[in-house]
Amino acid sequence: MPREMLPTGTDSPQSPFDRVRQVRDDGSEFWSARDLVPLLGYGADWRNFAAAIDRAKATAANQGMDIATLFVGATEKSGGRPREDFHLARFACYLVAMNGDPRKPEVAAAQAYFAIQTRAAETATAPAVPQSYADALRAAADEAERAEAAERRAAELEPPAKAWNILASASGNYSVAEAAKILSQDPAISIGRDRLFAFMADQGWVFRSRNPRGGWEAYQTQVDNGRLYERPARPFLNEKTGELELPAPTVRVTVKGIERLRELLGGSEGLIALPGGKA
């Protein structure tokens, strides 16, 4: 498939993601997954990067997106044996970044770049991002707003001081502030949001984000084992700089994580109720 690397076209500083952006003969853009591997901090580790692509595909499939269009299978031609590659649409790059290793500052930079550029493409008069991508971004933003509103409402309510009501089949996740309140129902535990973050950091569950706006991020192992969940942040306009920024994701604790934290904190026997009667 004929393609060419886009020239810089300017003497001003340019994002490395702009420099590896490519266009086909029909004018459509894409990024080679092989080009993105070092830019997202994976060095030459294609296997782990391919795993992030697989997770991104699953995310796209769950949103009803056309995977074949977003992730076009390709072969990288070089002096040696041809290697597997993917030609990624802009939205596919965003999904890959969101499913990358959160400990890598390069991943955070990619998340910000592709979130901002996808939004910019959506609002530009031309070229416009396909409507299905725009709808998916708006849906994600709306869902984040609803989740934030629900979290604010839940923070106003103290969980009922009744017996534990956590079952093996329980599901859902809670803000760290909510998790601290739930755990503190145990007579043997007294902990607040900040102390719980510090405790989880000591246990190797979370780490301080390198995002300029600060915050916490979860280690991928704790997300994979189902103890923590990360809700992606929404880009917002910094009124002082006039630029779009992407904060760190929001760390939330699952029921499984609350159960394990209770054990680590030396909780007593018995049951604890979840807010809203969740079980």
Side-chain angles (χ1 to χ4, degrees):
M1 181 181 298
R3 60 181 182 173
E4 62 182 43
M5 193 76 73
L6 285 183
T8 59
T10 177
D11 293 330
S12 61
Q14 187 185 43
S15 165
F17 303 108
D18 284 329
R19 290 195 289 271
V20 298
R21 174 174 171 259
Q22 301 183 56
V23 291
R24 303 181 180 90
D25 290 341
D26 62 3
S28 61
E29 65 180 3
F30 71 93
W31 281 259
S32 164
R34 289 284 179 177
D35 288 341
L36 292 178
V37 173
L39 296 184
L40 269 71
Y42 284 84
D45 189 358
W46 171 255
R47 186 175 65 176
N48 282 334
F49 189 75
I53 293 176
D54 289 339
R55 292 192 295 270
K57 285 182 177 180
T59 300
N62 290 336
Q63 294 184 12
M65 309 296 288
D66 184 357
I67 297 178
T69 300
L70 292 172
F71 304 83
V72 179
T75 301
E76 182 196 46
K77 297 180 179 179
S78 60
R81 292 180 56 187
R83 300 186 298 177
E84 179 188 31
D85 195 6
F86 291 94
H87 291 174
L88 307 174
R90 186 188 297 270
F91 191 70
C93 293
Y94 170 73
L95 293 178
V96 170
M98 294 306 297
N99 283 277
D101 187 342
R103 295 168 295 181
K104 300 180 183 297
E106 297 90 346
V107 169
Q111 291 174 353
Y113 171 85
F114 287 108
I116 292 170
Q117 293 302 319
T118 302
R119 176 60 179 170
E122 176 192 350
T123 57
T125 55
V129 71
Q131 189 61 37
S132 57
Y133 300 176
D135 290 344
L137 285 175
R138 280 193 289 271
D142 291 343
E143 178 61 29
E145 288 180 356
R146 286 193 293 270
E148 288 169 2
E151 184 174 332
R152 287 193 297 270
R153 289 194 297 271
E156 297 172 356
L157 302 174
E158 288 290 339
K162 299 179 181 178
W164 269 86
N165 191 26
I166 296 179
L167 305 178
S169 60
S171 61
N173 54 75
Y174 302 87
S175 70
V176 175
E178 287 180 294
K181 291 178 180 179
I182 295 169
L183 290 164
S184 292
Q185 292 178 62
D186 189 312
I189 299 173
S190 177
I191 197 166
R193 174 187 177 276
D194 292 345
R195 285 178 55 204
L196 184 53
F197 263 124
F199 181 78
M200 290 193 295
D202 289 341
Q203 297 297 317
W205 287 30
V206 298
F207 61 96
R208 286 284 186 183
S209 175
R210 297 185 181 91
N211 189 286
R213 303 192 72 84
W216 293 89
E217 295 185 40
Y219 281 108
Q220 189 63 41
T221 53
Q222 300 304 317
V223 174
D224 292 343
N225 66 25
R227 293 173 179 168
L228 298 179
Y229 169 77
E230 281 193 327
R231 189 176 68 210
R234 291 185 297 121
F236 71 96
L237 180 65
N238 186 322
E239 295 181 355
K240 292 184 178 179
T241 65
E243 298 181 352
L244 284 173
E245 295 185 10
L246 184 69
T250 300
V251 175
R252 296 178 67 85
V253 187
T254 67
V255 174
K256 179 179 179 181
I258 291 174
E259 291 175 328
R260 179 56 179 156
L261 285 170
R262 188 189 185 202
E263 295 175 3
L264 294 172
L265 288 166
S268 59
E269 295 295 327
L271 301 173
I272 291 182
L274 294 175
K278 294 181 183 179

